[in-house]
Amino acid sequence: MKIATWNVNSIRTRLAHSLQWLENNPDVDLLCLQETKVPDEVFPRSAFEDAGFHLHIFGQKSYNGVALISRSPLEDVRLGFAGVIPPEIVGDLDDQKRVISGVLNGVRIVNVYVPNGSEIESEKYHYKLRWLKLLKVYLEDHLTRSPDLLICGDFNIALEDIDIHNPKTRATHIMSSDVERSALREVLSLGLQDTFRKFAQDGNQYSWWDYRSASFVRNAGWRIDHHYVTDGLYDRTLSCTIDPEPRKLEQPSDHTPVIVELANL
DNA sequence: ATGGCAGTACTATACTGA
């Protein structure tokens, strides 16, 4: 089973890229999208359904938005934190549409778009930290029902210096501060492991490149799009690869897809 | 140190991203 994650930075602008990528990658069973940037009623649903895909979307106007696009039906799809956690605990953390989840082949798959955080100590930064705290509660709830869990998406955090092209300023930079890293590690302490680092110990492999400063051609990137899995799935992980091809196209997303392959039972 | 590039909403420029 192959599961891909891709922040498309607007599904309407990247519709042709997304459809072409799915056509080029027929063995990908599930594509997890982030930053669809569209209300559900305007999502280009039929473009995917006409191509034979099953679709689950959780979006909003202008910002954020996540989607699950699969070749076979998903089970038990949950929208937002409130799909799992009581609303009084969720509070304002579902106002931004950033999490969607379903089950495929017995594996609970969680697709997240973690807040960017803007600047360290800003209001958005503290929202990011609160969001990550609730993410742990949300995952704990899933784990009581599903021992096999995969969480993927745009985490907006580079956990190690090797994940950044230039780590010199990383301590004061959003996405790489110690506090953000600790917040993500606290989530991962539930027993989640990075599938990419099961295979690749070298640097210079990134999933996002800034549109500015010719970052892509200089390979001045960050690895911020991840797949984390529970122990049993980690043993079943056959590969985790970054596909840089869509980033080379005209009018690309600033992120590129990352694909994990799990051995079937 | 600053801005750079892109998408959305809107229709000039602000907000957001990372």
Side-chain angles (χ1 to χ4, degrees):
Chain A
M1 166 164 76
K2 283 193 177 181
I3 298 149
T5 180
W6 191 6
N7 179 326
V8 287
N9 187 17
S10 168
I11 189 57
R12 287 180 289 188
T13 299
R14 236 64 66 190
L15 181 59
H17 287 193
S18 302
L19 290 166
Q20 186 64 56
W21 191 82
L22 284 165
E23 192 177 322
N24 293 350
N25 294 271
D27 50 353
V28 168
D29 298 286
L30 170 64
L31 175 58
C32 300
L33 298 179
Q34 303 90 36
E35 276 209 276
T36 52
K37 291 187 168 182
V38 65
D40 292 347
E41 60 273 20
V42 195
F43 193 102
R45 179 179 272 282
S46 60
F48 292 98
E49 288 175 343
D50 292 351
F53 292 99
H54 299 261
L55 213 58
H56 294 277
I57 57 181
F58 188 52
Q60 66 184 97
K61 185 177 174 180
S62 302
Y63 304 118
N64 313 310
V66 283
L68 299 169
I69 300 176
S70 60
R71 295 188 194 270
S72 57
L74 302 182
E75 299 159 50
D76 195 24
V77 171
R78 310 285 186 109
L79 305 181
F81 286 129
V84 173
I85 300 174
E88 61 270 23
I89 294 174
V90 175
D92 64 343
L93 291 170
D94 262 345
D95 293 352
Q96 303 177 11
K97 311 307 184 198
R98 295 178 175 276
V99 56
I100 188 170
S101 168
V103 173
L104 183 61
N105 297 336
V107 177
R108 168 58 63 179
I109 296 161
V110 177
N111 172 20
V112 293
Y113 174 44
V114 177
N116 166 282
S118 189
E119 288 176 38
I120 291 175
E121 292 303 334
S122 68
E123 191 177 328
K124 293 191 179 74
Y125 172 84
H126 289 287
Y127 186 91
K128 179 180 195 172
L129 298 178
R130 283 202 296 128
W131 197 93
L132 286 166
K133 277 197 171 183
L134 191 65
L135 179 63
K136 185 183 182 188
V137 175
Y138 170 90
L139 293 175
E140 278 174 326
D141 201 282
H142 274 310
L143 286 167
T144 63
R145 294 179 301 274
S146 309
D148 290 330
L149 183 146
L150 178 151
I151 177 169
C152 65
D154 176 0
F155 284 78
N156 273 317
I157 294 173
L159 263 189
E160 309 288 343
D161 289 355
I162 195 177
D163 298 320
I164 310 173
H165 72 279
N166 177 9
K168 281 184 191 145
T169 59
R170 71 101 196 148
T172 55
H173 196 291
I174 199 70
M175 303 191 292
S176 53
S177 68
D178 287 331
V179 172
E180 288 166 88
R181 286 179 171 182
S182 297
L184 179 52
R185 288 200 180 102
E186 180 62 27
V187 174
L188 302 182
S189 72
L190 291 168
L192 295 160
Q193 298 184 72
D194 183 357
T195 57
F196 188 79
R197 289 290 172 223
K198 178 175 178 178
F199 305 99
Q201 270 68 53
D202 52 326
N204 296 312
Q205 299 199 69
Y206 309 120
S207 63
W208 172 80
W209 299 262
D210 199 309
Y211 284 121
R212 299 167 291 194
S213 312
S215 298
F216 184 63
V217 294
R218 295 188 296 116
N219 196 27
W222 293 59
R223 194 176 72 90
I224 54 176
D225 300 270
H226 311 295
H227 296 80
Y228 296 103
V229 296
T230 47
D231 285 345
L233 290 182
Y234 192 75
D235 295 338
R236 284 167 55 191
T237 303
L238 301 175
S239 66
C240 180
T241 55
I242 297 168
D243 178 6
E245 292 306 315
R247 190 64 177 78
K248 301 174 182 173
L249 300 173
E250 287 290 312
Q251 220 184 346
S253 168
D254 44 356
H255 296 251
T256 210
V258 186
I259 309 99
V260 74
E261 180 171 16
L262 305 177
N264 293 319
L265 289 181

